[in-house]
Amino acid sequence: MAILGAINPMLTVGLDGDKAWRLADYVKRDGYSALRRILESGIGQGDVINEVKKSVLRGRGGAGFPTGLKWSFMPRSFPGDKYVVCNSDEGEPGTFKDRDILRYNPHSVIEGMAIAAFAMGAARGYNYIHGEVWEIYERFEEALDEARAAGFLGRNVLGSGFDFDLFAHHGYGAYICGEETALLESIEGKKGQPRFKPPFPASFGLYGKPTTINNTETFASVPYIINMGGDRYLEAGKPNNGGTKLFSVSGHVNRPGNYEVPLGTPFATLLEMAGGMRGGRKLKGCIPGGSSAPVVPGPTMMDCTMDYDSISKAGSMLGSGAVIVMDETTCMVKALERLSYFYYEESCGQCTPCREGTSWLYKVVHRIEHGKGRADDLDLLGSVTTNIMGRTICALGDAASMPVQSFIKHFRDEFAYHIENRKCLVPVDVQRAGSGFFTATA
Amino acid sequence: MLTPESLKRIDREIAKYPADQKQSAVMAALAIAQEQQGWLSSDAIECVAGYLGMAPIAAYEVATFYNMYDLKPVGKYKLSVCTNLPCMLTGGVDAGEYLKQKLGIGFNETTPDGLITLKESECMGACGDAPVMIVNNRRMCSWMNPEQIDKLLAELK
Ligand SMILES: Cc1cc2nc3c(=O)[nH]c(=O)nc-3n(C[C@H](O)[C@H](O)[C@H](O)COP(=O)(O)O)c2cc1C
Ligand code: SF4
Ligand code: FES
């Protein structure tokens, strides 16, 4: 199991059994009791939304937008079709928490979506699952079958008169479909190209109907909020940062994996839980919120706590909670080159600044890495990023620019060394040793 | 050209969407067609389009947009290795190099016996398990150190 540790957990409690994902096991852990209580005791839609507002649950997909507020934008008493959609397209490099939630606790997502659907007056939902995790998609379908058979989904849920149908939709390899409007286009059977906003999905979403999209972990947290109450959930984290969060720790640590900790937990504690730095090496830099978040130098990172506000003060973003740890064996130019390639490859091509800009970013970082950098390349990179940012339909343009700006800002000397000396500051065999691949058997 | 078994699976996908939104099943239908054939030929794409009542060009657009569709024949096994940054830090790139050496081919190439096609891929949402690779879009393999890779290659016959 890849959930390797926790402090005061909620989402990952009781998941050590090998059948944790089964309905019976979930019910034993108090599963579906929140949905049942809402439907049987006449708790109103507004009450549910208020509870979520009180919890200050912030979206776990990347932007950290308050979930209760988002839900209140839905025209819930308007007649007509409305949708709730779960974003399990987890493709942000460094993020692998939704996979584990769906793998070990899929019913928490189903229950959370059902509660959300009730609160917003939606009768249908979809969970969009990343194409690469096929086994998880199959498991989620099985969980849906179980929930339907037990009356938690479908017509007249638990005899309450509330109808909710939920289905799984799989992606097939396009990072951009994690962007919410691209995801909707994709469910509609089209290319996953983001839409102009406004209109926002709450007024014009799936099939043109009001729609709310939340991340897997966001939905999974909802039953726990209803059961413990919004206030207590908020207290479990820190002010303005309610609850616990799953952090996916990858890179140069001894035990890469998922860790559930209260928001506000010191980064140093999380690092320790992940077994500390591999080989006892020094932390060079850390990307604290998935590849789109600016990199933070090691010493600054060691002073951060893991919550939206602290990370933002350090000049980065908590994002999806993907903590990419890089030690001294990392060549920052090569690291940025790989990320820039990713954004270039995944740009959907709709907007010229993003399509052309990501191609330039990659080309220039590539030539620096390969000893062909030019004296003014760092300025050129800077100007390309400012020409992308804020001028595109979706946030991928910004996501491609922020790593470039932050890597150059914090590791400028390393880039300059590459350009001047046409080689890397970190010898290749040192980089290789860092990767641990050959030492695994040797 | 689609077998009755494939059509049955496609019907199950169509049922997930509102009656007037059959096109929503196109991604799943194309994936099923690819699974049946090993790759996605123009015939298969047009057949899927016809079955879902959509213009062929609309199905082509989908097939060309998403990376996991293979519009050219691939080996019996397609091995996709993640080399994105989090994996790279933990041996993803080295695993790719190791595979290239072992198989004597580069990325996007197929072994002469038509058995294995090697692909470089983007984040699979499994970075904690790096190095990771996927066989035929379906089976994810974790912690692929040299020993594990040798074992996997011996298994793919
Ligand atoms: C390029 C791009 C990729 C994204 N990828 C994801 C993703 O994989 N998973 C996710 O939940 N949100 C992703 N998002 C954010 C979504 O657009 C959306 O904000 C989120 O799903 C809302 O859910 P939340 O409020 O619960 O976080 C992405 C955004 C952008 C711009
Ligand atoms: S910013 Fe890039 S990915 Fe987003 S819509 Fe524009 S071209 Fe597509
Ligand atoms: S970077 Fe390889 S699976 Fe995420």
Side-chain angles (χ1 to χ4, degrees):
Chain A
M1 160 147 167
I3 297 164
L4 298 182
I7 299 174
N8 300 334
M10 310 174 198
L11 278 175
T12 59
V13 170
L15 301 185
D16 3 35
D18 60 343
K19 293 276 181 281
W21 63 279
R22 286 279 179 199
L23 176 70
D25 206 281
Y26 183 61
V27 168
K28 252 192 261 156
R29 303 195 304 269
D30 237 11
Y32 289 107
S33 62
L35 178 65
R36 188 183 291 277
R37 205 149 42 79
I38 289 168
L39 295 180
E40 287 177 357
S41 62
I43 296 175
Q45 292 177 315
D47 301 330
V48 174
I49 294 180
N50 268 338
E51 220 45 52
V52 177
K53 275 188 180 161
K54 269 199 272 179
S55 75
V56 198
L57 167 65
R58 297 175 59 172
R60 304 300 196 223
F65 193 82
T67 304
L69 189 59
K70 189 190 254 187
W71 290 11
S72 69
F73 296 153
M74 282 283 274
R76 61 175 186 268
S77 33
F78 264 38
D81 296 338
K82 289 184 263 313
Y83 294 95
V84 289
V85 171
C86 179
N87 189 342
S88 301
D89 194 40
E90 195 165 59
E92 173 83 5
T95 320
F96 47 93
K97 67 194 173 64
D98 297 336
R99 168 180 180 233
D100 272 354
I101 293 174
L102 294 174
R103 176 152 61 161
Y104 302 117
N105 206 1
H107 283 284
S108 67
V109 179
I110 297 175
E111 184 180 7
M113 289 188 77
I115 293 170
F118 168 80
M120 290 181 273
R124 209 178 242 271
Y126 291 96
N127 185 10
Y128 190 102
I129 300 177
H130 198 213
E132 281 83 347
V133 290
W134 187 257
E135 286 117 336
I136 304 296
Y137 170 75
E138 289 185 322
R139 174 168 291 188
F140 192 75
E141 294 238 295
E142 268 186 70
L144 286 176
D145 288 341
E146 285 185 325
R148 266 185 217 117
F152 295 120
L153 287 178
R155 299 232 137 250
N156 195 14
V157 173
L158 299 174
S160 65
F162 163 62
D163 299 332
F164 181 54
D165 274 314
L166 178 57
F167 304 94
H169 183 107
H170 65 74
Y172 228 56
Y175 166 65
I176 192 57
C177 289
E179 197 281 337
E180 56 188 18
T181 57
L183 185 149
L184 297 178
E185 291 283 301
S186 184
I187 297 183
E188 291 180 2
K190 305 177 192 151
K191 289 189 285 189
Q193 291 190 321
R195 300 174 181 169
F196 278 102
K197 289 191 271 191
F200 290 95
S203 50
F204 189 92
L206 184 60
Y207 308 126
K209 305 288 198 257
T211 302
T212 287
I213 301 130
N214 277 119
N215 172 254
T216 317
E217 187 183 356
T218 310
F219 280 123
S221 306
V222 169
Y224 300 90
I225 290 170
I226 299 299
N227 276 335
M228 70 197 298
D231 293 329
R232 269 188 57 209
Y233 184 86
L234 173 58
E235 281 164 28
K238 79 175 224 191
N240 196 32
N241 295 266
T244 59
K245 161 120 194 60
L246 276 166
F247 289 100
S248 305
V249 184
S250 65
H252 293 140
V253 294
N254 280 314
R255 296 200 315 152
N258 283 313
Y259 297 87
E260 182 181 1
V261 298
L263 284 169
T265 301
F267 169 73
T269 308
L270 182 66
L271 184 60
E272 201 176 302
M273 290 171 82
M277 299 297 298
R278 219 168 48 200
R281 294 194 192 92
K282 236 175 69 191
L283 177 67
K284 183 170 188 176
C286 174
I287 304 176
S291 65
S292 310
V295 63
V296 178
T300 316
M301 197 63 214
M302 291 307 290
D303 289 336
C304 285
T305 56
M306 299 309 290
D307 56 84
Y308 297 92
D309 299 335
S310 170
I311 300 291
S312 135
K313 242 174 73 193
S316 188
M317 305 184 315
L318 190 75
S320 55
V323 181
I324 307 170
V325 176
M326 294 176 280
D327 71 18
E328 315 147 89
T329 67
T330 315
C331 166
M332 289 314 205
V333 182
K334 186 176 273 172
L336 181 63
E337 182 203 14
R338 187 60 185 87
L339 289 183
S340 297
Y341 177 75
F342 170 68
Y343 291 106
Y344 155 66
E345 174 70 27
E346 298 294 329
S347 164
C348 84
Q350 264 192 114
C351 338
T352 313
C354 174
R355 185 186 59 243
E356 302 299 323
T358 51
S359 154
W360 270 102
L361 293 177
Y362 171 61
K363 253 194 268 179
V364 175
V365 181
H366 179 81
R367 78 178 175 222
I368 298 175
E369 166 64 15
H370 288 82
K372 300 205 171 71
R374 304 174 192 167
D376 55 358
D377 270 353
L378 297 184
D379 295 336
L380 175 61
L381 285 172
S383 87
V384 174
T385 58
T386 44
N387 280 316
I388 299 175
M389 288 182 85
R391 292 168 203 238
T392 55
I393 295 175
C394 88
L396 186 136
D398 288 13
S401 304
M402 284 185 295
V404 175
Q405 292 181 344
S406 62
F407 269 78
I408 293 178
K409 178 171 164 207
H410 295 302
F411 301 97
R412 195 176 182 95
D413 293 350
E414 210 168 310
F415 284 81
Y417 184 93
H418 259 271
I419 294 173
E420 248 168 62
N421 299 285
R422 314 210 164 275
K423 64 174 193 216
C424 188
L425 236 162
V426 186
V428 175
D429 53 326
V430 173
Q431 291 178 37
R432 263 198 151 185
S435 96
F437 182 75
F438 291 102
T439 48
T441 46
Chain B
M1 79 156 309
L2 290 167
T3 62
E5 162 66 14
S6 293
L7 290 177
K8 220 169 92 195
R9 286 178 63 197
I10 294 175
D11 287 340
R12 239 188 11 235
E13 296 297 326
I14 294 174
K16 293 178 178 176
Y17 307 95
D20 57 347
Q21 301 290 351
K22 265 172 125 172
Q23 178 169 343
S24 284
V26 68
M27 289 179 68
L30 290 173
I32 290 165
Q34 174 162 311
E35 211 181 315
Q36 180 195 309
Q37 266 197 320
W39 65 293
L40 212 43
S41 62
S42 313
D43 284 353
I45 298 172
E46 278 166 32
C47 185
V48 163
Y51 195 69
L52 297 177
M54 58 197 281
I57 181 70
Y60 272 110
E61 277 187 1
V62 171
T64 49
F65 187 81
Y66 299 89
N67 294 333
M68 288 165 71
Y69 297 116
D70 296 308
L71 303 182
K72 288 196 205 108
V74 290
K76 186 171 170 201
Y77 300 103
K78 180 175 76 167
L79 258 180
S80 318
V81 190
C82 176
T83 58
N84 206 311
L85 177 62
C87 277
M88 179 175 113
L89 297 172
T90 330
V93 172
D94 295 330
E97 292 302 318
Y98 186 77
L99 274 165
K100 283 185 199 168
Q101 246 175 37
K102 277 248 141 176
L103 298 171
I105 54 174
F107 285 134
N108 299 317
E109 290 178 3
T110 303
T111 50
D113 58 0
L115 192 64
I116 293 175
T117 300
L118 197 56
K119 293 244 173 191
E120 182 173 29
S121 107
E122 294 302 343
C123 181
M124 300 164 172
C127 340
D129 299 358
V132 286
M133 43 198 72
I134 299 185
V135 185
N136 287 347
N137 292 341
R138 294 290 188 257
R139 178 177 153 210
M140 190 178 281
C141 307
S142 301
W143 301 293
M144 299 305 283
N145 60 27
E147 222 169 78
Q148 294 298 325
I149 293 176
D150 291 347
K151 229 166 86 190
L152 176 67
L153 291 183
E155 203 187 295
L156 302 181
K157 288 265 148 61

